Amino acid sequence: MTLWPRLGLLSTGYFQASGIFSFILGFNYILSALAQLQTKIIYTLESYLVKMNITVTGFSGTGKTTISLLLARSMNKKLISTDDEIRKAIKLSPERIVKIYGWERLREAEAGVIENISELDDYVLDAGCGVLLRNENVVNLKKSGVIVFLTAD
């Protein structure tokens, strides 16, 4: 006599659903359902993020430029930098704008850039945390996508 009939797993040559076997089947069903749900969630998020902009912001040294570049590459999105767009629009670096005209002028330039970018789709935006100082910027960024704030220890 084999061990299987004594464990209640076999009865006259076919498997009988014992407590542990039912548990395993139920657990596998739950895992399968969770995997399907996870796939649906990921698909929904991916389809939601397909045309959406992603703004990466944070304090200096948190890796905004690197993360933005990697994110844009991995999601096949175009990359845009507020600093680069300010340089193109005003023909001065953000640092020079602050030195010559002051912080308020830089914030005005950022607001104009953010307003233009918020009309675009499918971009990763590399932005300094100063863009969050104006409520209008936050509103514009949120209407066209999500904002990710990076921190570092």
Side-chain angles (χ1 to χ4, degrees), residues 28 40 102 117 121 123 148 153:
N28 283 338
K40 287 178 183 177
I117 291 171
D121 288 329
Y123 278 85
V148 178
D153 291 329

Side-chain angles (χ1 to χ4, degrees), residues 27-90:
F27 188 69
N28 283 338
Y29 175 77
I30 291 169
L31 287 179
S32 175
L34 286 174
Q36 289 174 3
L37 179 61
Q38 179 184 5
T39 302
K40 287 178 183 177
I41 290 170
I42 290 171
Y43 177 76
T44 302
L45 284 174
E46 286 176 345
S47 63
Y48 182 67
L49 292 174
V50 167
K51 296 292 182 184
M52 178 180 281
N53 293 333
I54 301 172
T55 300
V56 179
T57 188
F59 294 112
S60 182
T62 56
K64 293 179 300 288
T65 303
T66 302
I67 297 297
S68 297
L69 179 63
L70 293 171
L71 194 57
R73 282 184 185 164
S74 68
M75 296 186 74
N76 201 25
K77 290 181 175 285
K78 298 167 280 275
L79 178 63
I80 194 167
S81 165
T82 54
D83 288 353
D84 290 346
E85 293 303 304
I86 289 169
R87 279 187 197 93
K88 288 178 194 173
I90 300 184

Side-chain angles (χ1 to χ4, degrees), residues 76-138:
N76 201 25
K77 290 181 175 285
K78 298 167 280 275
L79 178 63
I80 194 167
S81 165
T82 54
D83 288 353
D84 290 346
E85 293 303 304
I86 289 169
R87 279 187 197 93
K88 288 178 194 173
I90 300 184
K91 310 293 189 245
L92 291 171
S93 71
E95 296 81 16
R96 293 286 297 157
I97 295 169
V98 170
K99 194 174 253 184
I100 297 169
Y101 302 107
W103 283 101
E104 187 57 31
R105 178 65 185 111
L106 175 62
R107 299 299 171 224
E108 289 170 8
E110 282 176 337
V113 166
I114 297 299
E115 188 175 359
N116 291 337
I117 291 171
S118 69
E119 301 299 321
L120 303 174
D121 288 329
D122 208 24
Y123 278 85
V124 172
L125 172 62
D126 172 13
C129 68
V131 301
L132 302 177
L133 295 175
R134 287 192 174 199
N135 190 48
E136 67 188 272
N137 291 342
V138 174

